[in-house]
Amino acid sequence: MNPSNEQRVSLFERMTLIRLMEERLRADAAAGKLPGAVHLYIGQEAVAVGVCANLRDTDWITSTHRGHGHFLAKGGDPKAMMAEIWGKRTGICKGMGGSMHVADLGKGILGANGIVGGGFAIATGAALSNSLLRNNRVAVAFFGDGAANQGVFMECLNVSSLWKLPLVFVCEYNHFCEFTPTATVTSGDIADRARAFKIPCEVVDGNDVIAVWRAARSAIEFARSGNGPAFIEARTYRIQGHLESEDLFLAGGKYREKQEVEEWRKLDPIARLAELLISENVRAASQLDAITTKVAGIVEDAVKFADTSEPADPELTFDVMFAGQRP
Ligand SMILES: Cc1ncc(C[n+]2csc(CCOP(=O)(O)OP(=O)(O)O)c2C)c(N)n1
């Protein structure tokens, strides 16, 4: 099954929202305006968007340290996310979590996570609760190719397959674990690890949002129908550095060639979808530009909202972490 024309246009719009939010964060990080580090999702938008377009608000996702794209793709509010990243009290977590902890339970977003592989067990637990409650919801665990080398991955593959949990694993193979090429620390194919537990797998072009959408649709349907977990490995590429201040860590060292990044830029998922929509006369280039302009306004509003909000209240730490007790 393929997405309709209207669905494809909305995939374009959502990917553009993520891209423009991330571009703005990139600029604000460089200008020293953000209180913490940001790990950007530029180039990987097709994965979050292609998957989340097939989910309901009541379905769960777990995310990673690179979580802004998952948050926005699942319907999280751009203003509340921006304010969170800026450390403001209007943020989705009152500015107490920042970039790596954007969460919104009302939208089924169980949170970004600073612990690599931290989402596996949370998603498996959510899927177990769905299964026990027979509520027809699914859970999706987004994770990186680096996280696939954490032991908890195996535990969650095992138990979710054994108990036929409504869970979809989505591995974003972006080729790097921080400053280490994944191939140098990973044995065999990651999808084979899921196959060993008899979990159906699909390896897709993660820069082709339609391919991701199709794979996600069948994986989610499979899991929702009580057949157990499914697995998607989306092949993509991390265009930005591991984090925006990575040069400070690298001290002049390098772990990839510029040429490689440029080659992947040519496979930009948003440009590819735009070309398709134009060539199939679904939308004219000017109509897509109008969408981009509208989205840029949403991003501008989010920045204004964050910028003019009050900073997070440090006193709140005692309430949210120490049950109101103070030293
Ligand atoms: C348990 C744990 N180990 C190490 C780190 C440091 N760390 C942060 S991100 C990262 C690489 C993760 O790579 P991957 O899962 O592929 O995600 P990507 O950054 O490529 O999106 C590492 C090692 C961490 N945050 N948590």
Side-chain angles (χ1 to χ4, degrees):
M1 185 170 171
N2 282 312
S4 67
N5 286 345
E6 291 316 304
Q7 284 171 321
R8 290 195 291 171
V9 172
S10 84
L11 295 174
F12 173 83
E13 181 164 342
R14 195 58 67 99
M15 287 200 290
T16 303
L17 172 64
I18 297 172
R19 174 68 57 88
L20 296 190
M21 287 285 276
E22 296 293 67
E23 292 286 10
R24 182 57 192 247
L25 284 166
R26 184 163 74 108
D28 286 344
K33 290 186 183 172
L34 306 181
V38 281
H39 304 81
L40 300 183
Y41 196 64
I42 292 172
Q44 297 180 218
E45 296 89 349
V47 184
V49 170
V51 171
C52 291
N54 287 290
L55 292 174
R56 305 168 182 167
D57 274 359
T58 48
D59 292 328
W60 301 110
I61 63 164
T62 60
S63 171
T64 71
H65 53 285
R66 201 174 300 289
H68 311 156
H70 306 130
F71 181 90
L72 294 170
K74 188 68 169 56
D77 176 21
K79 282 185 176 168
M81 184 183 99
M82 199 56 105
E84 186 61 35
I85 298 170
W86 280 60
K88 299 298 181 81
R89 66 183 68 184
T90 52
I92 189 71
C93 302
K94 301 188 192 308
M96 305 305 287
S99 162
M100 277 186 275
H101 299 96
V102 287
D104 183 350
L105 300 192
K107 291 282 179 184
I109 305 163
L110 290 168
N113 202 314
I115 309 293
V116 170
F120 288 125
I122 298 171
T124 304
L128 175 60
S129 90
N130 293 344
S131 169
L132 294 172
L133 295 169
R134 296 176 192 280
N135 60 15
N136 212 28
R137 299 178 183 182
V138 300
V140 172
F142 288 100
F143 61 100
D145 35 4
N149 288 335
Q150 292 285 57
V152 64
F153 178 41
M154 190 281 294
E155 296 177 53
C156 294
L157 288 172
N158 180 53
V159 85
S160 63
S161 178
L162 187 69
W163 294 341
K164 291 199 178 306
L165 301 184
L167 177 60
V168 178
F169 294 91
V170 179
C171 177
E172 302 194 45
Y173 196 108
N174 69 6
H175 291 81
F176 297 100
C177 319
E178 289 192 334
F179 317 119
T180 306
T182 302
T184 65
V185 290
T186 304
S187 166
D189 284 339
I190 292 171
D192 280 345
R193 299 175 187 183
R195 289 190 187 103
F197 293 93
K198 309 273 182 272
I199 297 175
C201 292
E202 195 165 341
V203 180
V204 290
D205 176 350
N207 283 25
D208 177 351
V209 70
I210 310 296
V212 176
W213 187 96
R214 269 200 237 108
R217 186 161 190 96
S218 54
I220 291 165
E221 228 170 75
F222 181 87
R224 206 188 292 286
S225 313
N227 298 303
F231 185 99
I232 296 169
E233 182 180 312
R235 290 267 166 170
T236 180
Y237 192 81
R238 197 193 73 213
I239 293 289
Q240 288 303 113
H242 168 62
L243 75 172
E244 281 317 284
S245 45
E246 79 169 16
D247 288 347
L248 298 173
F249 293 80
L250 293 171
K254 68 172 181 180
Y255 59 93
R256 61 179 176 182
E257 298 300 328
K258 268 204 170 110
Q259 182 60 25
E260 183 180 285
V261 182
E262 293 316 313
E263 287 302 314
W264 276 91
R265 271 190 208 282
K266 292 181 196 154
L267 301 173
D268 186 292
I270 301 176
R272 278 169 76 181
L273 180 60
E275 260 172 48
L276 191 76
L277 294 174
I278 293 165
S279 71
E280 293 185 4
N281 293 320
V282 177
R283 290 288 188 278
S286 59
Q287 290 173 305
L288 297 183
D289 288 346
I291 292 175
T292 304
T293 304
K294 181 183 88 177
V295 168
I298 294 172
V299 174
E300 205 45 52
D301 287 348
V303 173
K304 262 191 215 127
F305 177 74
D307 195 19
T308 54
S309 292
E310 289 290 306
D313 176 9
E315 283 296 306
L316 200 56
T317 315
F318 297 108
D319 293 335
V320 295
M321 292 186 68
F322 302 111
Q325 294 179 60
R326 277 163 173 72

